[in-house]
Amino acid sequence: MMKRIPVLAFWALLLLPALGWAQENRVTGRVVDAKTKDPVPFASISLREEGTGALTNEYGYFQLAGLEKASQDSLIVMTLGYARSAVVIKRGGTEDLIIELDKRVIELANVTVRGGKVKNLVLGSNSNNPGEGMIQGLPGSQYAFFVKNEKQKKLGNVRTVSFYIGENGFPREPFRVRIYKADGNYNAPNTDLLTENVVVSASRGGEWYTIDLSTYNIPAPEEGFFVAMEWIVGGDKFYTTNFMDNYTPYGQIMRPTFEFKESRTWSYTIGKGWNLLTLANDQGRRYNAMIKAEVDMIK
């Protein structure tokens, strides 16, 4: 008869490989708000020269492997709503860091709606039939799809965003919604238009999952904008780091679409930045994340 392993012992066994390499050379700590000392969840932690990173869990804790390439490096901390911070780390490991982040002051532009009727406009994917393949991420990974205002309509605010969640993987796992302006290098995602943490989870997979953003009053840029899914961490999963040799499926899975002839999807990895996906099928249709948005159209 197979013996059952106690829950605590089971988790200890899972963590042994990570803790083994980490004992002598690891970086651990917690990210908190400089004023309130509250934990800052889902902050991006990366080592500049190593090109590696991790994400804090919902309690602000993080852990990642120490330095291998250089004697010292800069630990870069970035997250939504806070100023970027950098800490010098030396080889040999640094444990129990407390990194305090200052709130970033965000000036919201005045939005004036002049006359005309407001109607609903859908931008992005219009299909209910996903293409072959799966879009997966590790903690801190993002996939951003550019919902283009192809007909140059006059836009108001963003109403909703939707992601087609696959039936495989763990469709009920939480993720963070990100909205970006296309003002980075080569029109990559850059400036956050959604400046608050919106963490959601689908009730099931195999269908569209829609998030109402109407209360956030996000003005839609006239050319369009990026809608992104960011994989986050929960509980003790902060022990998982990016760039593992043996990949384990993590979190929910998005499905792709081949509706467009151009590449509109960018992927983000902690420590590596944004990269444009250029895959195509046999008909020359590009591989894009299955994402859409509803916005106000002013007539």
Side-chain angles (χ1 to χ4, degrees):
M1 180 182 295
M2 182 180 293
K3 293 183 179 180
R4 297 187 65 184
I5 301 175
V7 173
L8 290 177
F10 173 73
W11 280 110
L13 288 173
L14 286 182
L15 295 177
L16 279 176
L19 296 177
W21 57 253
Q23 289 297 328
E24 297 181 357
N25 185 25
R26 68 177 182 178
V27 181
T28 68
R30 196 182 194 203
V31 180
V32 300
D33 184 289
K35 185 176 181 180
T36 66
K37 310 306 178 187
D38 291 333
V40 177
F42 317 131
S44 168
I45 312 290
S46 63
L47 288 167
R48 178 180 291 168
E49 300 299 326
E50 295 289 317
T52 60
L55 206 67
T56 62
N57 70 352
E58 65 258 50
Y59 308 111
Y61 290 103
F62 68 91
Q63 172 176 290
L64 69 162
L67 305 186
E68 298 291 341
K69 297 179 181 179
S71 60
Q72 70 175 39
D73 200 347
S74 293
L75 186 73
I76 309 299
V77 184
M78 296 186 298
T79 193
L80 197 63
Y82 287 87
R84 171 174 163 160
S85 179
V87 179
V88 175
I89 299 296
K90 295 184 178 181
R91 181 178 289 180
T94 303
E95 298 189 14
D96 302 324
L97 280 171
I98 299 295
I99 301 174
E100 298 185 350
L101 299 184
D102 293 313
K103 280 277 191 180
R104 183 162 54 91
V105 178
I106 300 171
E107 295 184 3
L108 299 177
N110 292 325
V111 179
T112 303
V113 179
R114 304 179 186 278
K117 296 180 180 179
V118 176
K119 293 188 175 182
N120 182 53
L121 176 66
V122 177
L123 303 175
S125 175
N126 281 311
S127 176
N128 288 316
N129 300 308
E132 292 295 325
M134 296 184 291
I135 297 176
Q136 298 174 271
L138 285 172
S141 300
Q142 296 184 52
Y143 279 85
F145 175 75
F146 187 66
V147 291
K148 188 176 182 180
N149 184 12
E150 296 183 89
K151 297 183 179 180
Q152 298 298 304
K153 299 293 185 179
K154 186 175 181 181
L155 306 182
N157 287 347
V158 178
R159 290 187 181 182
T160 69
V161 294
S162 301
F163 304 84
Y164 197 97
I165 307 294
E167 60 275 14
N168 303 112
F170 305 95
R172 295 183 181 180
E173 284 294 300
F175 64 91
R176 180 160 57 179
V177 178
R178 305 292 293 266
I179 309 291
Y180 294 102
K181 192 173 182 181
D183 56 352
N185 293 334
Y186 305 103
N187 297 319
N190 186 34
T191 302
D192 283 292
L193 295 174
L194 174 59
T195 56
E196 298 184 48
N197 275 305
V198 176
V199 176
V200 297
S201 58
S203 59
R204 56 183 176 271
E207 62 184 22
W208 283 104
Y209 176 57
T210 299
I211 301 98
D212 184 359
L213 298 179
S214 59
T215 59
Y216 295 97
N217 298 317
I218 307 166
E222 290 299 319
E223 68 277 9
F225 52 93
F226 281 100
V227 179
M229 173 185 284
E230 180 181 17
W231 278 255
I232 59 176
V233 290
D236 290 334
K237 292 179 183 176
F238 72 94
Y239 284 103
T240 301
T241 58
N242 289 331
F243 319 115
M244 296 168 62
D245 292 332
N246 298 318
Y247 177 74
T248 301
Y250 179 88
Q252 66 288 325
I253 292 172
M254 245 195 314
R255 295 298 300 274
T257 181
F258 291 92
E259 297 170 68
F260 309 99
K261 293 182 179 180
E262 58 185 337
S263 298
R264 300 187 186 182
T265 301
W266 292 70
S267 66
Y268 176 84
T269 306
I270 297 176
K272 301 294 184 182
W274 290 102
N275 287 286
L276 180 66
L277 298 185
T278 57
L279 298 174
N281 64 10
D282 295 338
Q283 289 75 43
R285 296 277 176 169
R286 297 293 177 173
Y287 183 94
N288 284 289
M290 203 166 175
I291 296 173
K292 63 184 177 181
E294 293 180 327
V295 300
D296 291 329
M297 179 180 67
I298 303 169
K299 300 195 73 175

